[in-house]
Amino acid sequence: MKLIHISDLHIGKRVSEFSMLEDQRVILSQILAAVKQEQADGVLVAGDIYDKPVPSAEAVQVFDEFLTRLAEMETPVFVVSGNHDSAERVAFGARLMSGRGVYVSPVYDGDVTNFTMKDSHGEVVVYLLPFVKPALVRHVFENEDPGSYQDAVRIAVDHMNVDPNKRNVLVAHQFVTGAFRCDSEEVLVGGLDNVDVSVFDAFDYVALGHIHSPQHVGRETVRYCGTPLKYSFSETEQEKSMTVVELKEKGSVEIKTLPFKPLRDMRRIRGTYLEVTARDFYKDTNRKDYVQVTLTDEEDVPDGMQKLRVIYPNLMKLEYDNKRTRESREVKGACKVELKSELELFEEFYELQNNQPVSQKQREFVGKMIREIQEQ
């Protein structure tokens, strides 16, 4: 039984106000091509389909096209909702879609939906567990009192009555303790959303979503496939991929990854303004990539963002690394403020913010502005 594991599509996401929909369409096309090439028996989508609980009409259309193509290929797809999704909206029409091989987790009510597939080695049971919180499980099971996400997931799994003699696959969207996070993820203070990997011992393969970096946790068969695209500059060194898992006889699982080829990569550029705008610097790079530029000039470049976008049209972020930004100075409470002029106060504030004194030219300019304001 060969299954393709994807998650955290975040369809409709905007990064630094750039829409990622065009990039997401390209990635979804690559997934469809892989399903055909690998002759996959099913696709596992482990949550965060959309980036918002109420996705845009265009985002819904993109996912609808993806599901329709899979249905036309007669490839079953198993979908759970994540913490970014509205479970009710994702589950809309689930019973109708199941007739075309699109199986979507309903809103959690204590009964985890499962589907059975067969191959030459027997049955494979796929369980669909949407993102659950302690309050949700407490509402369903009045006699239970989950005090943590760990308790909530454990209770949900205990009520599945998993047959240990069969090959069991779980599709879920939770944070497993020990997984590596990155900047584009939501984080609960103190790790309150942690779930220990031992909760999933009954499953031969656990297709996880929620963490954006591809990795396994505890054992090889408990895996995050990661996002198909880079959604923060903390991910620039990652190679995004989909996971292909092949379940043979009970106890035998083979895993491989297939890299994605994004329409636009995400990378960091560093140097002085003259360096990053020099032809020799950028001529061999894809200037349509999403970039973060860090300038090392001591003086800020006026209208730097607009000027750099002439060369790097998809510049998302501009930062400076210089004396001003490296040194931090404590702003202390003002003393005898009433004895200082407006210009003196401005000079002190400027030096605290920039770690350098006001120049004579700047002093004259600010002094002129202060006098004009006072006259008005």
Side-chain angles (χ1 to χ4, degrees):
M1 185 74 64
K2 186 180 288 187
L3 305 170
I4 289 182
H5 170 199
I6 59 174
S7 76
D8 296 272
L9 303 175
H10 288 277
I11 300 174
K13 187 175 182 64
R14 300 184 72 89
V15 181
S16 298
E17 299 309 314
F18 283 78
S19 171
M20 306 300 288
L21 272 173
E22 184 181 11
D23 306 76
Q24 290 166 338
R25 285 192 178 97
V26 170
I27 289 298
L28 292 174
S29 295
Q30 292 179 22
I31 295 169
L32 292 170
V35 169
K36 184 176 181 180
Q37 181 178 345
E38 294 290 326
Q39 297 182 325
D41 298 298
V43 176
L44 313 176
V45 186
D48 278 358
I49 298 154
Y50 302 112
D51 194 54
K52 296 179 180 179
V54 184
S56 67
E58 192 174 8
V60 174
Q61 182 180 17
V62 168
F63 190 57
D64 178 68
E65 291 171 357
F66 177 66
L67 294 180
T68 301
R69 290 285 304 280
L70 286 172
E72 290 171 350
M73 296 165 64
E74 298 184 350
T75 303
V77 55
F78 304 92
V79 183
V80 302
S81 54
N83 60 301
H84 278 256
D85 300 313
S86 163
E88 293 81 4
R89 286 184 172 85
V90 170
F92 176 78
R95 284 179 291 181
L96 286 173
M97 290 189 290
S98 64
R100 294 293 305 276
V102 178
Y103 305 105
V104 182
S105 63
V107 177
Y108 183 72
D109 61 0
D111 293 325
V112 174
T113 304
N114 66 81
F115 302 92
T116 301
M117 305 170 70
K118 293 183 178 180
D119 63 6
S120 59
H121 297 291
E123 295 183 341
V124 173
V125 186
V126 180
Y127 293 83
L128 304 183
L129 178 65
F131 179 70
V132 294
K133 299 180 179 180
L136 179 59
V137 175
R138 192 179 300 117
H139 175 74
V140 172
F141 298 107
E142 296 180 357
N143 295 328
E144 304 277 5
D145 187 23
S148 65
Y149 278 76
Q150 163 79 15
D151 294 338
V153 176
R154 177 185 53 77
I155 291 168
V157 171
D158 287 347
H159 282 82
M160 291 183 194
N161 298 317
V162 178
D163 185 347
N165 296 314
K166 296 181 180 179
R167 291 169 295 165
N168 300 296
V169 173
L170 176 67
V171 186
H173 191 92
Q174 303 288 159
F175 175 59
V176 178
T177 305
F180 170 75
R181 292 186 185 268
C182 58
D183 293 346
S184 58
E185 301 157 6
E186 289 186 357
V187 179
L188 290 187
V189 176
L192 297 177
D193 52 350
N194 284 11
V195 175
D196 190 81
V197 68
S198 61
V199 172
F200 305 119
D201 285 348
F203 300 96
D204 296 84
Y205 183 78
V206 182
L208 290 170
H210 193 38
I211 299 301
H212 292 185
S213 304
Q215 60 194 285
H216 70 271
V217 187
R219 54 187 169 95
E220 284 285 339
T221 52
V222 179
R223 297 187 67 86
Y224 289 103
C225 60
T227 54
L229 289 168
K230 299 172 184 177
Y231 289 137
S232 76
F233 287 99
S234 65
E235 303 168 55
T236 54
E237 301 303 317
Q238 295 181 11
E239 182 180 55
K240 297 298 187 177
S241 61
M242 66 188 94
T243 300
V244 181
V245 53
E246 186 170 3
L247 292 94
K248 299 185 176 181
E249 66 275 8
K250 178 73 175 180
S252 177
V253 180
E254 291 185 0
I255 297 170
K256 68 177 182 179
T257 58
L258 300 177
F260 286 115
K261 296 179 180 179
L263 178 64
R264 305 174 186 89
D265 201 359
M266 183 177 284
R267 57 194 177 90
R268 291 185 171 117
I269 296 173
R270 177 185 175 87
T272 65
Y273 179 75
L274 290 178
E275 288 172 340
V276 302
T277 57
R279 182 176 295 275
D280 289 342
F281 187 92
Y282 63 76
K283 67 180 181 180
D284 295 327
T285 62
N286 185 354
R287 287 189 284 149
K288 292 186 178 180
D289 286 348
Y290 297 116
V291 298
Q292 171 187 303
V293 173
T294 301
L295 294 179
T296 57
D297 304 84
E298 287 300 328
E299 295 290 336
D300 288 7
V301 177
D303 298 320
M305 181 74 82
Q306 289 73 17
K307 290 177 179 177
L308 286 169
R309 276 185 174 160
V310 174
I311 300 172
Y312 305 103
N314 293 316
L315 171 62
M316 286 185 166
K317 193 173 183 180
L318 173 61
E319 294 184 342
Y320 285 87
D321 182 12
N322 53 29
K323 182 179 179 181
R324 172 176 61 84
T325 60
R326 285 193 296 268
E327 295 181 7
S328 60
R329 298 181 63 174
E330 182 180 357
V331 180
K332 298 181 180 179
C335 180
K336 297 184 179 180
V337 173
E338 69 280 359
L339 300 179
K340 297 181 180 180
S341 68
E342 289 87 349
L343 181 57
E344 288 173 327
L345 291 171
F346 177 83
E347 289 177 346
E348 287 185 0
F349 178 73
Y350 181 92
E351 187 170 350
L352 286 168
Q353 291 293 309
N354 298 281
N355 293 311
Q356 58 188 359
V358 175
S359 67
Q360 182 60 32
K361 186 176 180 180
Q362 291 169 324
R363 185 181 293 107
E364 292 173 357
F365 177 77
V366 174
K368 181 182 177 182
M369 290 186 62
I370 292 173
R371 287 193 297 273
E372 289 177 352
I373 293 170
Q374 289 173 336
E375 290 173 359
Q376 293 174 6

